[in-house]
Amino acid sequence: MDGGAPTLSADSAAAAATTAKTETQTPALVNGAVKRRNGGNNRTEAAPNGVKVMAAKKALHYHSYSRPSFLKWRLQDAVHVATHHWMPCLFAVGLLFFMAVEYTLRMVPPSSPPFDLGFIATRSLHHLLQDSPNLNTVLAFLNTVFVGMQMIYIMGAWLIEGRPRATISALFMFTCRGILGYSTQLPLPQGFLGSGVDFPVGNVSFFLFFSGHVAGSVIASLDMRRMKRHELAWLFDVLNLLQAGRLLGTRGHYTIDLAVGVGAGILFDSLAGKYEEFSQSKLLSLNGDHINGVANHTKRNLIP
């Protein structure tokens, strides 16, 4: 003993030496960092975030082996879907109904004319036009005037107002119509009532699938609505319905030609809009690259 200095027993000294050795060799985690002691040099290293990695692994494991979504559905969910999303529910019922109709329907034999519900609905109009050739000619002329109105509006939107979307849409539509019309050439309906003043003028041949009359009117109507010309758009919609009834009455188109014409007008108007967006973004990118190039060239000339 030296002047009251604390003494360590042999066991205490061995424990202290072991602790010091462990602290020197084992990294200590301090606030998310690993602290290593090598002799007198202390070095702090960032530790990998093991907590986040383990959480991500657990989340991945949970999503991989969680229950299917439909097992979590409750009665309240079904009621919510039926009340707030009734249109998809109606389409689901329509799917089941027409599956039953399709799988039990007697197919039309090759020797018989095509079955067309629109022809049945316009049978009286067909007989009227068949018995009144002059009335058929007048209606054909008015229909040609309506087609001219469509063309004037669509071309005017580009040439006068500088908005090419409707014109691009019409070009897309008529090109696709030509490809499909030539690929599948449907037979001319029985009882077709032609006219020399009907568009295309001159009793020339034409593609049945799909109706360019209807699709062009839809394209013009959609453009009018974009420009807030709602009254004119409604006028074109009404004239388009009358045009469709006349085309069925004269057997100038099948019902499917008219229905697809509506869808084609909507589709190609949307595609023309996407084409415009792509062209504008590409132009902005090219202008940005040009501006950056000019700036770099000026900087090199100014800085010796």
Side-chain angles (χ1 to χ4, degrees):
M1 295 180 64
D2 289 334
T7 59
L8 297 174
S9 63
D11 294 339
S12 299
T18 303
T19 302
K21 183 177 180 181
T22 303
E23 290 180 351
T24 303
Q25 295 178 352
T26 305
L29 183 64
V30 180
N31 294 329
V34 176
K35 191 174 183 180
R36 300 181 184 276
R37 298 184 180 87
N38 295 326
N41 299 328
N42 293 338
R43 184 174 77 251
T44 302
E45 299 176 356
N49 199 337
V51 177
K52 291 184 177 180
V53 173
M54 292 300 297
K57 289 183 177 180
K58 289 182 179 179
L60 180 61
H61 180 272
Y62 174 77
H63 289 295
S64 300
Y65 297 98
S66 61
R67 291 188 305 164
S69 176
F70 73 92
L71 292 179
K72 304 174 186 177
W73 294 352
R74 299 169 298 176
L75 179 61
Q76 296 90 329
D77 299 328
V79 173
H80 177 81
V81 169
T83 54
H84 293 82
H85 303 283
W86 57 269
M87 187 172 292
C89 296
L90 184 63
F91 287 155
V93 174
L95 168 66
L96 298 176
F97 172 76
F98 284 107
M99 284 177 62
V101 172
E102 179 181 4
Y103 298 153
T104 58
L105 190 67
R106 293 184 59 185
M107 302 290 287
V108 178
S111 57
S112 300
F115 172 83
D116 194 294
L117 195 60
F119 290 176
I120 297 175
T122 58
R123 185 179 297 162
S124 57
L125 177 60
H126 176 72
H127 292 323
L128 174 63
L129 297 177
Q130 195 174 28
D131 297 335
S132 305
N134 292 332
L135 177 61
N136 181 39
T137 301
V138 171
L139 294 181
F141 174 75
L142 294 176
N143 204 156
T144 300
V145 171
F146 179 51
V147 174
M149 292 167 56
Q150 301 172 25
M151 297 172 62
I152 291 173
Y153 179 86
I154 291 173
M155 294 298 295
W158 172 40
L159 297 177
I160 298 176
E161 300 180 3
R163 297 183 299 102
R165 176 168 174 172
T167 305
I168 295 172
S169 176
L171 293 175
F172 284 179
M173 182 270 292
F174 279 109
T175 301
C176 182
R177 176 178 178 270
I179 295 173
L180 295 178
Y182 186 81
S183 299
T184 302
Q185 301 181 34
L186 300 174
L188 192 66
Q190 293 183 0
F192 169 66
L193 302 175
S195 173
V197 296
D198 199 358
F199 186 87
V201 179
N203 282 324
V204 297
S205 60
F206 58 94
F207 293 130
L208 285 168
F209 187 84
F210 48 86
S211 174
H213 291 66
V214 172
S217 179
V218 170
I219 291 172
S221 175
L222 291 173
D223 187 83
M224 293 170 185
R225 283 181 166 80
R226 271 193 301 272
M227 301 305 296
K228 310 301 181 183
R229 299 165 179 164
H230 297 292
E231 294 81 5
L232 191 57
W234 281 113
L235 175 62
F236 265 56
D237 290 340
V238 171
L239 293 177
N240 201 10
L241 286 175
L242 295 176
Q243 170 182 246
R246 175 195 164 264
L247 290 172
L248 289 174
T250 59
R251 306 300 186 250
H253 274 293
Y254 294 103
T255 302
I256 192 173
D257 304 332
L258 308 178
V260 175
V262 175
I266 298 173
L267 171 64
F268 289 109
D269 178 78
S270 176
L271 292 179
K274 294 183 182 300
Y275 174 79
E276 276 193 333
E277 293 175 1
F278 171 77
S279 300
Q280 291 173 0
S281 63
K282 185 178 180 181
L283 182 61
L284 291 175
S285 177
L286 292 176
N287 289 338
D289 294 341
H290 177 69
I291 293 173
N292 292 333
V294 172
N296 293 334
H297 179 71
T298 305
K299 184 177 180 182
R300 285 195 299 268
N301 292 337
L302 293 177
I303 299 176

